[in-house]
Amino acid sequence: MKKNISKAILLLTLLAFIGTPVLKAQTKEQIEKALNEAYEKFKNLKEGKNADYIKELASVDPNIYGIAIVTTDGQVYTKGDLKSAVSIQSISKVFTMAKVIEENNPKFIMDKIGVDATGMRFNSIVAVEMQKGKEINPLVNPGAIASTSLIKGADSAAKWKSILQVHSDFAGRQLSLDMPVYISEAGDNLRNQAIAHLLYAYGRMYFDPVQSTDIYTKQCAISVNAKDLAVMAGTLANGGVNPVTKKVCVSSETVKYVLPVMATAGLYDDSGQWLYATGAPAKSGVGGGIIAVVPGKFGIAVISPPLTPAGNSAKAIQTIKYIIEQLGVNPYQITPKK
Ligand code: GLN
């Protein structure tokens, strides 16, 4: 009798497990296949153009094409060029925002910056002016420079050290600055200086505007390869714990507030189209990188410098869309209970 009961319990447990509406598990083979297929399909895509408003970016090899996936249990999958590094650019905005939330609280960002998408280009001055410095967004330049200004630290050097450290923790190795990119942008970033000063005039810049813009320019020039970016995305997918080094970079509570902003504003004014196609929070940078997060499963990153008119890597968009679709991991894809 007892045996029959335990058999029944086992059967029920198995049935419950089979019936659980989880997305199908991704095997090693499925991930490798999706990566290989995407690479072959898009390697010759000739869409887009390198950013050239930062002079140094115009001369980056447009043929760099690297893909990496890092799962929440620390497996690393790669394809293509993993050696070439590019500047992280706007992808850094995610990690500085995370640090600001971590050092304060989610409401702090809402009050000091705002989280609604501007729906405008990433360096729009009109967006600041229309809202009188309120409701800017941490993932576009005005809100990002304001985030940088909010990082704790006695002076500019301490703030920069803290920002570089959080990026390195997410990547799982000590990152460094791409000096030529930094010098190139620092010598030519009057537009970002203007944004910082306009915010300052509205009382929405929280440290010296010249120095804040300089730290922001440095954070954008951090040098990363596709694997670095995928580990960073994988850490977000894993609730703030680096799945490779196991270091707690930020709390899962912080990540809970970072991902929605990536979902609504990560690809600038193309964020809606992106989310519609993938369901995945993501962030692009004009260096040619895009990261995307499949919460609880994996982080993915692609580097390919030529950009669409909205400023997002053309090849990275296609590649990540394809892989998410092939693996069936769009977080909004629900298996109905029958
Ligand atoms: N450093 C760049 C800028 O401020 C970052 C922009 C981006 O990647 N979209 O213009």
Side-chain angles (χ1 to χ4, degrees), residues 2 42 50 119 142 170 220 239 242 276 297 299 323:
K2 246 193 190 164
F42 302 115
N50 279 27
F170 267 90
C220 288
N242 186 312
Y276 190 75
K297 290 186 180 296
I323 291 173

Side-chain angles (χ1 to χ4, degrees), residues 37 129 175 229 232 262 268:
E37 280 175 9
E129 189 54 24
L175 298 176
L229 287 177
M232 296 171 99
M262 291 172 72
Y268 317 117

Side-chain angles (χ1 to χ4, degrees), residues 28-45:
K28 194 172 174 315
E29 291 71 34
Q30 284 173 317
I31 297 180
E32 273 162 2
K33 182 168 177 276
L35 242 65
N36 289 338
E37 280 175 9
Y39 185 83
E40 291 308 319
K41 211 169 155 62
F42 302 115
K43 70 177 183 209
N44 295 322
L45 186 85

Side-chain angles (χ1 to χ4, degrees), residues 53-54 89-90 93 122 141 185 192 216 220 268 285-286:
Y53 75 100
I54 299 169
Q89 296 299 338
S90 278
K93 290 165 175 159
F122 58 82
N141 293 19
E185 189 172 2
N192 285 337
Y216 163 81
C220 288
Y268 317 117
V286 291

Side-chain angles (χ1 to χ4, degrees), residues 49-298:
K49 186 170 158 291
N50 279 27
D52 55 8
Y53 75 100
I54 299 169
K55 290 189 187 70
E56 198 65 26
L57 297 186
S59 56
V60 173
D61 179 2
N63 297 314
I64 297 172
Y65 182 36
I67 316 173
I69 283 184
V70 173
T71 62
T72 50
D73 55 3
Q75 297 171 54
V76 180
Y77 298 86
T78 59
K79 183 74 193 170
D81 186 347
L82 273 294
K83 289 212 175 70
S84 299
V86 297
S87 49
I88 190 168
Q89 296 299 338
S90 278
I91 302 171
S92 65
K93 290 165 175 159
V94 169
F95 305 97
T96 299
M97 166 175 61
K99 182 74 178 166
V100 173
I101 297 177
E102 187 75 5
E103 286 182 336
N104 301 279
N105 54 67
K107 188 168 179 299
F108 187 81
I109 284 261
M110 292 271 287
D111 295 344
K112 299 277 183 188
I113 299 177
V115 294
D116 277 338
T118 64
M120 296 196 187
R121 258 191 92 70
F122 58 82
N123 56 5
S124 169
I125 290 177
V126 174
V128 180
E129 189 54 24
M130 270 172 32
Q131 304 280 347
K132 306 231 174 306
K134 294 203 174 76
E135 283 308 319
I136 48 177
N137 183 293
L139 295 187
V140 289
N141 293 19
I145 304 171
S147 296
T148 302
S149 80
L150 286 167
I151 290 286
K152 289 192 175 155
D155 53 20
S156 167
K159 286 172 189 280
W160 163 238
K161 198 170 162 219
S162 165
I163 289 175
L164 184 60
Q165 189 58 51
V166 77
H167 282 74
S168 300
D169 288 347
F170 267 90
R173 73 173 182 103
Q174 185 59 47
L175 298 176
S176 58
L177 205 56
D178 181 329
M179 227 9 144
V181 170
Y182 165 62
I183 291 169
S184 167
E185 189 172 2
D188 198 16
N189 64 354
L190 291 171
R191 190 176 182 92
N192 285 337
Q193 293 284 2
I195 289 172
H197 281 91
L198 187 55
L199 286 173
Y200 193 63
Y202 283 126
R204 303 282 286 175
M205 178 57 50
Y206 307 99
F207 184 60
D208 176 78
V210 174
Q211 292 184 58
S212 298
T213 310
D214 182 59
I215 307 167
Y216 163 81
T217 309
K218 280 198 182 107
Q219 87 178 34
C220 288
I222 292 173
S223 182
V224 283
N225 59 37
K227 184 190 160 199
D228 293 328
L229 287 177
V231 178
M232 296 171 99
T235 302
L236 291 169
N238 193 35
V241 176
N242 186 312
V244 178
T245 65
K246 309 291 179 208
K247 187 178 172 93
V248 179
C249 301
V250 292
S251 69
S252 65
E253 187 66 10
T254 290
V255 173
K256 187 176 95 183
Y257 290 99
V258 169
L259 295 180
V261 189
M262 291 172 72
T264 50
L267 265 68
Y268 317 117
D269 37 337
D270 280 353
S271 299
Q273 286 178 32
W274 169 265
L275 197 63
Y276 190 75
T278 63
K283 185 73 199 87
S284 62
V286 291
I290 297 187
I291 61 169
V293 177
V294 182
K297 290 186 180 296
F298 62 74

